[in-house]
């Protein structure tokens, strides 16, 4: 069975995957930013310019498997072209590395994912010498990755940090529509949602199913873990399954005590590796996110591509900054966590303002629900209130205010919610949950591709080779404009607004290399900056 090639903005050291390709050279020095994927006992030397790995090449090989015992395995790949061998040599290295990865047996992919996930950066764009030819590299690397995914059956995540890289890679993929194994109805849905995202009309609701892909517990699993810590006897633990979940949580909270419960939430749902779905969601050009999850994984994934989310209600909202509402509390503020029935009932009291934010989104945006069963009491109450507000006794039913991406077909649940949202199943009811979740990732990948602005690399010199004659002429004209904009111009001045537009078009990015780290490779140490428009647009 063929695998899929995802393109995603993320930090590869924090993305949950089975295998990671790490660029290096014959000296086995890697960038300091790869420190977290290497075992401590293999770090032979470390300074500001990088890390020397205590391994050795055997003959002319270009790939070394880094020994380890954890679920994620690192592979060192020689990408430093110090002999002028060109892109073909880099691509051959990618093929060799992916073939070596395929020979390693993986009994079960990380966190029960349906397919093994292999992550890699834009190889050779740091010390490898291809930084100035990033456009040519991406055009040739993507087909190589697709060939490997088809041949070996695993999924590949091409992980990029810079806005120019993402915009260019997505443009290449839009020209090759066969890269997504999705039925026509899901392709049509992706086009609709991508258009809504581009126009600033889409908001995201993120449920526990998204974080389950990062190894965090669902609601039922959370109650089971709490029961294991509670000390309840077997009869009482068996009785918990016969209670409504909120009442089970209330009993467990009483047995554990509030302090122990808060300590558990802080520890269990704290920072950690995020799933591919978190990164795909954070990449979308969406300004408003709502979640019932306690963990910080969406915020971490967004920060890794330069999107600093204001987390409500704890942070002060900033004009133009995207935000994430934690409807049920936050592990960093465990006293705020909603778990018991009493805490749910407070929605009409102290938490009414938070519910009002979701009310507003359902009235003014199209809300995309991901990873939720839509059985949460808060969601049921909020949907009813919105429906009552817009449908008086003599009014016709209004448009649906959102789309639910369900893993598998459930006709009864779809009918239950049909007045409020459209429910779209990823697969038939007899499909395994893991395969259905993977198809959801593929759909999110396509939505992200279709919604990415097509001009983020226009003025980046590393992508000049990708431009058409018309685009090249336009880029030259805009470079003349850039030369006339005073250095350091900031909004709200006219020059500042023009400077911000030029940055969104790739001006001044210099292939992702940081001025304060000239010796560190750009593919591993680029400091991303999100210059996408930070406001909603009409229409």
């Amino acid at each position: 069975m063929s695998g899929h090639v995802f393109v995603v903005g993320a930090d590869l050291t924090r993305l949950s995957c089975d295998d990671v390709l790490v660029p290096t050279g014959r000296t086995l020095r890697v960038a300091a930013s790869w420190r977290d994927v290497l075992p401590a006992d293999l770090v032979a030397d470390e300074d500001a310019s990088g890390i020397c790995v205590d391994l050795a090449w055997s003959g002319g090989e270009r790939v070394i498997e880094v020994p380890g015992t954890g679920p994620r395995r690192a592979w060192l790949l020689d990408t430093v072209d110090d002999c002028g061998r060109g892109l073909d040599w880099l691509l051959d290295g990618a093929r060799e590395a992916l073939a070596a990865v395929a020979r390693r047996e993986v009994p079960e992919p990380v966190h029960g994912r349906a397919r093994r996930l292999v992550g890699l950066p834009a190889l050779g764009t740091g010390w490898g010498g291809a930084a100035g030819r990033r456009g040519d590299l991406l055009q040739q690397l993507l087909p190589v990755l697709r060939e490997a995914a088809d041949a070996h059956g695993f999924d590949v995540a091409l992980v990029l940090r810079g806005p120019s890289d993402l915009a260019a890679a997505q443009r290449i993929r839009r020209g090759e529509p066969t890269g997504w194994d999705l039925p026509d109805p899901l392709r049509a849905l992706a086009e609709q949602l991508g258009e809504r995202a581009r126009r600033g009309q889409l908001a995201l609701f993120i449920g526990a199913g998204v974080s389950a892909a990062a190894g965090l517990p669902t609601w039922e699993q959370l109650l089971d873990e709490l029961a294991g810590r509670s000390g309840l006897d077997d009869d009482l633990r068996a009785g918990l399954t016969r209670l409504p979940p909120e009442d089970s949580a209330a009993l467990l909270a009483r047995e554990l005590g509030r302090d122990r419960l808060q300590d558990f939430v802080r520890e269990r749902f704290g920072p950690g590796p995020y799933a591919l779905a978190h990164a795909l969601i954070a990449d979308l050009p969406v300004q408003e996110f709502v979640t019932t999850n306690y963990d910080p994984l969406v915020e971490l994934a967004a920060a890794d591509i330069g999107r600093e989310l204001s987390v409500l209600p704890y942070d002060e909202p900033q004009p133009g900054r995207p935000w994430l509402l934690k409807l049920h509390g936050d592990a960093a503020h465990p006293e705020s966590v909603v778990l018991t029935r009493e805490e749910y009932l407070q929605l009409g009291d102290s938490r009414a303002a938070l519910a009002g934010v979701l009310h507003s989104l359902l009235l003014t945006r199209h809300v995309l629900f991901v990873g939720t069963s839509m059985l949460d009491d808060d969601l049921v109450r909020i949907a009813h209130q919105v429906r009552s507000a817009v449908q008086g006794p003599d009014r016709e039913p209004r448009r649906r205010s959102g789309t639910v991406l369900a893993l598998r077909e459930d006709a009864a649940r779809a009918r239950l919610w049909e007045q409020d949202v459209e429910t779209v199943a990823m697969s038939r009811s007899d499909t395994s949950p893991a395969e259905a979740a993977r198809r959801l990732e593929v759909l999110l990948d396509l939505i992200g591709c279709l919604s990415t602005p097509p001009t983020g690399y226009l003025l980046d010199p590393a992508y000049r080779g990708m431009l058409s004659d018309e685009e090249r002429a336009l880029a030259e004209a805009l470079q003349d404009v850039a030369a006339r904009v005073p250095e350091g111009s900031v909004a709200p001045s006219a020059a500042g607004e023009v400077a911000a537009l030029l940055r969104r078009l790739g001006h001044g990015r210099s292939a992702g290399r940081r001025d304060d780290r000239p010796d560190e490779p750009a593919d591993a140490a680029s400091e991303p900056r999100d210059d996408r428009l930070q406001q909603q647009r009409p229409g």
Side-chain angles (χ1 to χ4, degrees):
M1 297 176 66
S2 297
H4 179 75
V5 176
F6 296 87
V7 170
V8 63
D11 181 343
L12 193 45
T13 67
R14 290 207 285 214
L15 180 68
S16 179
C17 52
D18 298 280
D19 301 273
V20 178
L21 301 190
V22 179
T24 187
R26 303 313 290 183
T27 62
L28 289 173
R29 177 174 287 273
V30 302
S33 53
W34 292 106
R35 181 67 179 80
D36 289 344
V37 304
L38 300 173
D41 59 351
L42 291 181
V43 176
D45 181 45
E46 183 173 5
D47 57 32
S49 65
I51 297 169
C52 280
V53 184
D54 189 15
L55 293 171
W57 297 107
S58 174
E61 67 180 352
R62 295 181 59 186
V63 184
I64 299 178
E65 180 179 358
V66 178
T69 58
R72 180 174 62 184
R73 190 62 51 87
W75 303 77
L76 300 181
L77 171 62
D78 180 10
T79 62
V80 177
D81 183 13
D82 49 11
C83 297
R85 289 162 290 195
L87 292 183
D88 287 343
W89 179 81
L90 277 173
L91 298 173
D92 285 342
R95 294 186 183 95
E96 183 177 335
L98 292 168
V101 167
R103 290 192 290 271
R104 181 174 82 93
E105 292 188 7
V106 178
E108 183 177 352
V110 65
H111 302 312
R113 197 174 182 276
R115 303 283 183 89
R116 183 177 175 183
L117 183 63
V118 182
L120 74 159
L123 298 170
T125 52
W127 289 324
R133 300 183 61 191
R134 299 170 89 94
D136 294 338
L137 173 69
L138 290 176
Q139 285 179 311
Q140 297 182 51
L141 179 60
L142 281 165
V144 169
L145 300 182
R146 283 194 291 272
E147 290 169 7
D150 289 343
H152 305 305
F154 50 52
D155 290 334
V156 177
L158 177 60
V159 179
L160 306 171
R161 297 291 300 276
S164 293
D165 291 342
L166 281 167
Q170 301 294 29
R171 171 186 167 164
I172 294 167
R173 296 208 300 166
R174 282 194 294 271
E176 300 173 347
T178 58
W180 289 269
D181 182 18
L182 293 171
D184 289 343
L186 291 184
R187 285 177 172 270
L189 177 66
E191 292 177 0
Q192 296 169 14
L193 295 174
E195 176 66 16
R196 288 184 185 275
R198 283 197 307 273
R199 294 165 69 92
Q201 298 172 337
L202 194 68
L204 262 292
F205 184 99
I206 304 149
V210 173
S211 291
L216 294 180
T218 62
W219 178 265
E220 294 79 9
Q221 292 167 341
L222 173 59
L223 293 179
D224 191 57
E225 290 185 19
L226 290 173
R229 295 194 174 201
S230 67
L232 293 176
D233 61 39
D234 292 343
D235 289 341
L236 279 174
R237 287 190 61 174
L240 289 175
T241 62
R242 296 189 291 272
L243 293 176
E246 296 87 350
D247 293 331
S248 296
L251 176 56
L252 290 168
R254 186 194 313 163
E255 293 295 321
L256 288 167
R258 194 65 192 180
D259 289 343
R260 287 182 63 196
L261 181 63
Q262 291 182 8
D263 289 343
F264 172 82
V265 169
R266 185 187 294 109
E267 174 187 345
R268 188 69 174 89
F269 294 93
Y274 47 77
L276 179 61
H278 288 111
L280 293 168
I281 287 169
D283 283 355
L284 294 175
V286 170
Q287 300 303 111
E288 298 137 334
F289 301 85
V290 179
T291 185
T292 49
N293 299 341
Y294 311 138
D295 61 76
L297 300 186
V298 172
E299 305 97 284
L300 290 176
D304 282 341
I305 56 167
R307 305 193 77 193
E308 297 294 336
L309 301 184
S310 296
V311 180
L312 307 182
Y314 315 103
D315 297 337
E316 184 175 347
Q318 299 294 323
R321 176 183 288 185
W323 50 259
L324 168 68
L325 171 66
K326 293 289 188 76
L327 193 62
H328 284 175
D330 181 23
H333 306 271
E335 71 284 351
S336 68
V337 165
V338 174
L339 195 63
T340 68
R341 183 175 298 280
E342 181 180 2
E343 291 160 345
Y344 270 86
L345 292 174
Q346 291 174 359
L347 182 68
D349 187 12
S350 61
R351 296 194 300 118
L354 305 185
V357 176
L358 185 52
H359 287 146
S360 176
L361 292 178
L362 288 167
L363 289 167
T364 61
R365 302 280 183 262
H366 189 88
V367 180
L368 180 62
F369 293 86
V370 184
T372 176
S373 63
M374 300 299 289
L375 294 179
D376 183 278
D377 282 357
D378 279 358
L379 291 183
V380 173
R381 185 182 294 109
I382 289 169
H384 172 73
Q385 291 168 343
V386 170
R387 187 188 310 150
S388 299
V390 300
Q391 294 180 10
D394 300 322
R395 297 179 63 179
E396 294 294 323
R398 69 182 192 101
R399 64 169 179 83
R400 290 168 173 167
S401 56
T403 300
V404 177
L405 301 183
L407 292 186
R408 294 180 291 180
E409 290 177 343
D410 187 334
R413 190 169 299 177
R415 179 69 64 85
L416 174 67
W417 285 94
E418 66 180 358
Q419 292 181 294
D420 307 294
V421 294
E422 179 186 12
T423 300
V424 179
M426 298 298 100
S427 56
R428 299 183 311 183
S429 58
D430 58 352
T431 305
S432 73
E435 281 291 351
R438 178 179 175 273
R439 177 168 284 187
L440 173 59
E441 293 172 342
V442 175
L443 177 63
L444 291 172
D445 181 55
L446 180 54
I447 296 170
C449 178
L450 296 175
S451 63
T452 299
T455 53
Y457 55 89
L458 185 65
L459 300 183
D460 190 326
Y463 293 96
R464 186 174 177 82
M466 284 183 55
L467 303 183
S468 65
D469 291 341
E470 180 181 349
E471 290 172 329
R472 193 171 292 113
L474 177 60
E476 290 173 355
L478 289 171
Q479 293 288 8
D480 291 339
V481 173
R484 296 173 180 270
V485 175
E487 188 173 347
S489 298
V490 295
S493 67
E497 295 290 346
V498 173
L501 171 61
L502 293 171
R503 285 196 303 272
R504 290 195 294 273
L505 297 176
H507 177 67
R509 289 197 176 127
S510 301
R513 193 177 300 281
R514 285 178 53 174
D515 293 337
D516 61 334
R517 294 184 187 173
D519 296 327
E520 191 159 347
D523 59 356
S526 59
E527 188 75 8
R529 176 174 180 174
D530 183 8
D531 284 310
R532 287 176 287 186
L533 288 175
Q534 301 294 298
Q535 71 267 359
Q536 297 295 334
R537 299 181 294 285

